[in-house]
Amino acid sequence: MAEYDPQRIEAKWQKVWAGRDAFRAVDNDASRPKYYLLEMLPYPSGTLHMGHMRNYTIGDAVARYKRMCGYNVLHPIGWDAFGLPAENAAIKRGIPPREWTNSNIAQMKAVCKRFGFSYDWQREISTCEPEYYRWNQWFFLRMLERGLAYRKRSRVNWCPQCQTVLANEQVIDGFCWQHDTTAVEAKEIDQWFLRITKYSDALLDGVKDLAGGWPERVLIMQQNWIGKSRGTRVRFAVAEMKTDPLEIFTTRVDTIYGVSAVLLSPAHKNLPELLAGVPGSGAIGQQLKAMQQRSVKTEEIAQAEKIGFFTGRFAVNPFSGQRVPIWVANFVLAEYGTGAVMAVPAHDQRDYEFAEKYHLPVKVVVQPASGAPLSADRMAEAYVEYGRLADSGPYTGLASEQAIEKMAADAAAKGFGAAETTYRLKDWGISRQRYWGTPIPVVYCKNDGVVGVPDDQLPVRLPENVTLTGQGKSPLALVPEFLNTTCPKCGGPAERETDTMDTFIDSSWYFYRYTDPHDDRAPFDKAKAAYWFQIDQYIGGVEHAILHLIYSRFFCKVMNELGLVNHREPVKRLFSQGMVLKDGAKMSKSKGNVVGAIDMADKYGCDTGRMYTLFAAPPEKDLEWSEQGIEGSARFLNRVFRLVDKHAERLRAVTLDWSARTDFATATAKEKVLVRKAHQTLKRVTNDFEARWHFNTSVALIMEFVNELTAQEPLDQDVAPAVLKRVLSILVLMLFPMTPHVAEEMWEMLGNSGTIGDQKWPAYREDLAREEQIEIPVQVNGRVRAKVVVEADLNDDDLKERAMADARIAPLVAGKEVARVVVVPKKLVNIVLK
RNA sequence: GCCGAGGUGGCGAAACGGCAGACGCAGUGGACUCAAAAUCCACCGUGGGCAACCACAUGCGGGUUCAAGUCCCGCCCUCGGCACCA
């Protein structure tokens, strides 16, 4: 009697798989379909947590299933190895970032191997290696050539904690994404940007192609993030001043006859000029300063009181010719549209509140299509719906929709405006004043200005042995042998760029590198990428729904233009898995509720852990970690193991013959039950893998199957060994994608040859899954009153008759008039009485 | 405020418009044991009944249907995203 010893079994089979090179993906194999399955590459923090574990378990189950179905599966992993924590470790503990990073990678790799994830380790990449990051530099230079990378002095989000600039995407509610108690500050410095906004429409259009393959919520989040908005740009001349007109952006040009003021953001570039010479500008300057130092937490901004002041200047409404005051208002965003808006109190709630406070006139210029007409003195809030224009000169009487079009066209014809589309998406600021990242490959020369480093001088290596202090500007500026160089154009002295790239660059194209990970002439071979791409299935956490996934799509579009790839979207299907929670909260060190993957594997074995994560919740939902729950999975695997062990000896010598068909005419009753249950389970588990990805129900089905096998004991009576061997083999094969080690062990115990990796996923047979007799509930007026057992192929009329004749039904129906009888074939009978 | 997802036993959860609660956890009773653990068997939504059985029950209120957890309309609550975006 063997004992289930997961530690022994798991080590044993991992060695076998490694010896057979079982997870190697074969480039350009035309003999079978390819399947590119990818999980998001982890940041090597050192600990592999349950979120990773869940992600890789789902991926591994699919990878193993697909291999059994005959696919050439590419299932790679790598390390997102650049980034701040390594630098912080260096500052705090004096460990060089590379050493810290590589030792973390080694630890996490060991855990991945301990879990038996079926990765092709020959394709492992680490983004902090020069062999990888030189291609970040290469991509940057291609973008520089095409004007997609550019330098601009700009107001940036500065995190005092990180001592660096953050992308807009890394600012969450005004706080640093890494330090949620540190408010982000504004700072002006020269920065490199990637022109992602050039692809706003392309990224938006691409969403249509992704529909169906990507979760809808992710696509909606991306659409919102891009934030396309159609409107009109209108120029208001400044009265009594020879200066540039003020441009405003509005989506409601139809309300322009109701303008009471032009509102400028406190950071508007024309303000100094407008304010110059205005009486009391000293006091105004004070107010302005106070306003510019507003709170940066967006939630507070949204709820903050609207304040503003009159500049002393006036602007002219180009449609009506009316003079309106120019104000500065704290709620006007400098970064969106033109940084200036027209205030229409009657038709915009914010303007309404502003007008109430500062006693600006309210003029109704759009009336509702039906109901009582509005008047300014009876309004309690702005009317923001479309309607019919009133008091709007030649446009009076038009519907809003038509007015918007006509007015934009007229503005363009008369030269004071135009229809315009704006986006919320901004260019991607990639400069980081940090050390542990990809050096930006440009030099600054007195003669030639900004010069890209020529391709044959790549990579620009990140110098190591650098003392890090964590203070002020870029650490690389303090390394003279890095900083001082010669200009590639004139040969004269020049200085290198000392900022490094945002690490999101690394992860924007890494999945192409897996197709050709050791190429030293190009980021990847076009033919190899063409063979493997698109990614058939990408799996990761929903926290990457915006940043990583939108940057990756942008890179793909650029790569398409560079002729490197033929497709426009890198990922065909995306799956967002839920979080792993403990006591209702996300596991985190600060909450002290972290369950380490390796501890769990030591205690129960990784197969038990895999089974539990698949069983406890459907993969897209959050999973509440429960110690008792995992005990249950351990019990189940023990039970299966004992069941197989009990019969293994008798079955070992029996040949497994899939072509032998169980003949239901001669089979024993017990054989029929077992074979049917096996094929019914197989049918539904196959469907779970193919369509629904609800592995929790797959596990439940297999448990039911095992319960049935146990209930039919003794299985050495009335069951032919050949039949039992097939039934148990089906059980083991179905378990393999989820709990591969114990499945392999049981496969061997049954005397089967080879490894399961060489086996085909068994095909279920409808004829073997079909029941001869089925139980049909019989309802009277929609309530179940009886159940009748009938032959599965009984026709509707006979079924109806049997239902009516049932001993429990007949008295209920007797003497009553039957209005109708609903018969749902193979499902139910409902007798409706009058 | 806008957008999205979701509310089903003590808990995690099942359920092509067709028997609500599969499967598991916890719990209760029993077998095995000197005893415990492990294992095995039985029970396990609420109320009534000795029982067969009956009634009620999927956040709340309506509706469609022979039949609604599932579809439609109106609310409430929870979670996630966006947020003074003009």
Side-chain angles (χ1 to χ4, degrees):
Chain A
M1 192 91 183
E3 272 294 302
Y4 173 41
D5 176 1
Q7 306 300 334
R8 182 186 65 80
I9 289 173
E10 289 167 10
K12 170 182 165 185
W13 289 100
Q14 281 163 19
K15 215 168 148 191
V16 172
W17 296 332
R20 298 171 65 105
D21 204 5
F23 313 125
R24 176 80 77 91
V26 182
D27 290 328
N28 303 319
D29 180 349
S31 69
R32 43 189 182 147
K34 66 90 186 177
Y35 192 83
Y36 188 173
L37 173 69
L38 183 68
E39 294 118 46
M40 291 181 182
L41 95 170
Y43 177 77
S45 62
T47 43
L48 194 108
H49 56 68
M50 283 303 167
H52 294 122
M53 208 287 259
R54 187 180 195 197
N55 191 183
Y56 307 151
T57 298
I58 295 166
D60 200 55
V62 175
R64 287 175 185 271
Y65 171 76
K66 285 288 175 182
R67 282 193 202 97
M68 287 177 85
C69 292
Y71 287 88
N72 180 23
V73 173
L74 173 55
H75 188 217
I77 191 157
W79 312 99
D80 188 15
F82 271 139
L84 210 43
E87 217 163 318
N88 290 338
I91 293 161
K92 249 195 225 156
R93 287 178 274 160
I95 314 164
R98 176 171 299 283
E99 198 181 310
W100 184 84
T101 302
N102 284 346
S103 98
N104 284 348
I105 289 174
Q107 280 181 51
M108 289 175 77
K109 188 171 170 178
V111 181
C112 283
K113 294 210 160 181
R114 174 66 191 80
F115 272 81
F117 296 130
S118 61
Y119 295 121
D120 183 349
W121 286 104
Q122 307 207 14
R123 294 174 187 262
E124 177 185 5
I125 60 169
S126 171
T127 60
C128 68
E129 298 301 332
E131 293 75 32
Y132 184 84
Y133 69 66
R134 77 177 277 191
W135 303 111
N136 285 344
Q137 295 171 339
W138 187 89
F139 279 119
F140 177 88
L141 291 167
R142 299 293 83 75
M143 292 199 205
L144 187 62
E145 288 162 5
R146 296 173 163 250
L148 293 174
Y150 66 96
R151 195 168 156 80
K152 192 176 82 178
R153 188 165 189 85
S154 63
R155 229 175 126 100
V156 293
N157 307 302
W158 176 266
C159 172
Q161 194 80 23
C162 301
Q163 287 282 311
T164 193
V165 170
L166 303 174
N168 293 314
E169 289 84 343
Q170 291 162 343
V171 181
I172 296 150
D173 285 345
F175 287 78
C176 174
W177 69 313
Q178 294 291 318
H179 302 99
D180 50 12
T181 52
T182 307
V184 170
E185 296 168 1
K187 201 167 172 173
E188 291 254 338
I189 43 176
D190 282 330
Q191 299 286 308
W192 283 98
F193 287 86
L194 299 187
R195 214 178 287 281
I196 190 172
T197 54
K198 187 185 165 194
Y199 299 87
S200 300
D201 279 317
L203 289 166
L204 218 43
D205 290 345
V207 165
K208 290 184 204 99
D209 302 331
L210 299 176
W214 283 39
E216 200 183 323
R217 62 177 164 152
V218 172
L219 295 177
I220 288 169
M221 276 190 230
Q222 293 211 352
Q223 279 171 336
N224 291 342
W225 190 261
I226 296 166
K228 184 172 184 164
S229 155
R230 280 176 236 275
T232 313
R233 185 184 279 247
V234 182
R235 280 186 281 279
F236 282 62
V238 179
E240 293 101 29
M241 245 185 114
K242 282 205 168 103
T243 180
D244 292 339
L246 294 171
E247 291 195 312
I248 60 100
F249 175 77
T250 179
T251 55
R252 291 298 304 274
V253 70
D254 56 315
T255 65
I256 202 165
Y257 281 80
V259 170
S260 310
V262 167
L263 308 180
L264 305 182
S265 85
H268 196 277
K269 62 181 190 318
N270 294 15
L271 260 182
E273 190 186 354
L274 289 170
L275 291 176
V278 169
S281 61
I284 286 174
Q286 292 280 318
Q287 287 187 60
L288 199 56
K289 204 157 190 190
M291 240 183 241
Q292 283 166 349
Q293 283 170 351
R294 62 178 189 175
S295 158
V296 282
K297 185 158 184 184
T298 44
E299 202 178 331
E300 280 167 24
I301 293 168
Q303 280 153 19
E305 200 190 345
K306 290 170 181 37
I307 54 171
F309 60 84
F310 175 46
T311 60
R313 301 286 184 182
F314 290 85
V316 181
N317 182 341
F319 278 92
S320 64
Q322 197 195 355
R323 257 168 63 111
V324 292
I326 300 171
W327 285 61
V328 172
N330 65 336
F331 64 91
V332 180
L333 300 173
E335 320 83 53
Y336 182 79
T338 60
V341 299
M342 60 181 199
V344 184
H347 303 294
D348 181 285
Q349 188 57 29
R350 290 157 306 183
D351 297 344
Y352 184 85
E353 286 164 29
F354 194 74
E356 286 262 280
K357 179 162 178 182
Y358 294 106
H359 309 293
L360 295 171
V362 179
K363 186 182 171 196
V364 174
V365 291
V366 175
Q367 291 289 357
S370 60
L374 297 167
S375 77
D377 48 318
R378 277 183 286 128
M379 284 175 101
E381 56 179 12
Y383 175 74
V384 298
E385 309 296 320
Y386 280 172
R388 209 156 275 285
L389 270 64
D391 294 326
S392 295
Y395 305 99
T396 302
L398 287 180
S400 291
E401 294 87 337
Q402 285 122 45
I404 288 170
E405 250 174 69
K406 190 164 186 340
M407 293 168 91
D410 289 354
K414 292 176 186 160
F416 58 75
E420 190 184 66
T421 304
T422 58
Y423 300 86
R424 188 185 167 284
L425 183 71
K426 293 177 199 104
D427 278 340
W428 177 11
I430 58 154
S431 295
R432 296 291 179 275
Q433 291 64 48
R434 300 304 304 190
Y435 164 71
W436 192 235
T438 306
I440 296 172
V442 295
V443 302
Y444 301 100
C445 169
K446 279 207 181 77
N447 298 324
D448 298 307
V450 179
V451 183
V453 174
D455 285 359
D456 59 12
Q457 290 175 29
L458 297 185
V460 175
R461 281 182 183 267
L462 185 65
E464 312 224 356
N465 299 324
V466 171
T467 310
L468 297 169
T469 61
Q471 297 302 309
K473 56 180 183 174
S474 304
L476 291 177
L478 307 172
V479 184
E481 56 273 32
F482 177 84
L483 180 66
N484 300 312
T485 185
T486 50
C487 171
K489 271 194 185 161
C490 69
E495 288 193 351
R496 287 193 189 279
E497 166 67 62
T498 57
D499 285 353
T500 54
M501 295 182 195
D502 182 3
T503 57
F504 273 102
I505 301 262
D506 308 358
S507 55
S508 291
W509 68 279
Y510 75 102
F511 31 64
Y512 289 96
R513 187 69 179 171
Y514 286 136
T515 67
D516 190 19
H518 309 297
D519 197 328
D520 60 358
R521 288 170 310 179
F524 53 86
D525 178 72
K526 277 197 248 179
K528 284 180 182 168
Y531 172 77
W532 287 113
F533 266 75
Q534 299 162 289
I535 294 167
D536 295 279
Q537 183 70 60
Y538 198 17
I539 309 173
V542 74
E543 66 271 20
H544 294 110
I546 298 173
L547 309 188
H548 162 56
L549 289 167
I550 216 160
Y551 293 150
S552 296
R553 296 181 56 219
F554 159 62
F555 254 70
C556 178
K557 291 182 195 308
V558 174
M559 286 160 73
N560 178 282
E561 286 179 6
L562 291 170
L564 295 172
V565 300
N566 289 322
H567 51 269
R568 289 194 161 78
E569 292 291 341
V571 177
K572 207 189 288 176
R573 294 180 61 85
L574 173 72
F575 187 88
S576 293
Q577 104 253 4
M579 291 188 298
V580 179
L581 309 176
K582 182 80 195 294
D583 310 320
K586 189 175 178 173
M587 286 188 188
S588 75
K589 270 186 206 153
S590 58
K591 294 194 193 86
N593 60 352
V594 177
V595 177
I598 199 77
D599 301 336
M600 197 268 308
D602 286 345
K603 194 165 173 193
Y604 299 101
C606 72
D607 280 338
T608 296
R610 287 167 161 250
M611 164 146 288
Y612 175 68
T613 52
L614 293 173
F615 178 58
E620 74 278 7
K621 279 189 69 171
D622 288 349
L623 184 157
E624 173 68 33
W625 189 263
S626 139
E627 203 62 25
Q628 283 117 359
I630 193 162
E631 298 273 1
S633 294
R635 271 202 288 276
F636 172 70
L637 287 182
N638 268 295
R639 214 148 71 83
V640 180
F641 189 90
R642 283 197 307 272
L643 174 75
V644 170
D645 182 53
K646 187 172 169 187
H647 301 284
E649 197 173 343
R650 196 166 57 97
L651 301 179
R652 203 165 294 146
V654 178
T655 317
L656 178 66
D657 181 6
W658 290 122
S659 66
R661 183 205 146 112
T662 304
D663 184 354
F664 277 14
T666 57
T668 66
K670 207 185 264 188
E671 285 173 347
K672 284 190 207 169
V673 169
L674 296 181
V675 170
R676 267 201 201 104
K677 191 71 183 178
H679 281 267
Q680 286 167 356
T681 305
L682 187 52
K683 177 178 179 176
R684 296 176 62 188
V685 170
T686 304
N687 183 52
D688 278 345
F689 270 92
E690 289 293 333
R692 301 193 327 160
W693 273 34
H694 276 197
F695 306 113
N696 57 326
T697 57
S698 308
V699 176
L701 288 163
I702 294 172
M703 285 173 169
E704 279 187 68
F705 181 23
V706 172
N707 289 346
E708 185 67 63
L709 281 161
T710 315
Q712 294 297 327
E713 289 277 19
L715 292 171
D716 50 2
Q717 286 170 29
D718 301 322
V719 182
V723 172
L724 185 59
K725 180 142 179 172
R726 283 201 295 276
V727 166
L728 290 181
S729 294
I730 287 175
L731 169 66
V732 168
L733 291 175
M734 282 193 294
L735 279 169
F736 177 73
M738 301 187 263
T739 57
H741 311 81
V742 68
E744 289 274 27
E745 183 71 13
M746 293 188 293
W747 182 255
E748 188 182 75
M749 283 156 66
L750 286 169
N752 288 319
S753 57
T755 69
I756 298 184
D758 304 326
Q759 299 300 312
K760 282 252 167 300
W761 183 257
Y764 73 87
R765 285 171 43 170
E766 196 64 57
D767 57 328
L768 297 182
R770 195 175 303 131
E771 294 281 0
E772 284 166 352
Q773 297 218 304
I774 51 177
E775 191 184 62
I776 301 281
V778 182
Q779 300 180 332
V780 176
N781 288 339
R783 310 199 64 127
V784 178
R785 297 298 179 187
K787 288 168 188 180
V788 293
V789 176
V790 300
E791 306 78 72
D793 53 1
L794 193 70
N795 69 52
D796 289 4
D797 287 342
D798 291 345
L799 175 57
K800 181 170 153 185
E801 211 166 288
R802 292 268 275 278
M804 301 289 271
D806 182 84
R808 304 222 19 245
I809 298 300
L812 291 170
V813 178
K816 307 238 171 70
E817 194 179 341
V818 175
R820 64 188 281 206
V821 178
V822 181
V823 176
V824 184
K826 296 185 184 200
K827 276 277 154 57
L828 109 173
V829 178
N830 187 13
I831 301 160
V832 186
L833 302 177
K834 269 212 172 125

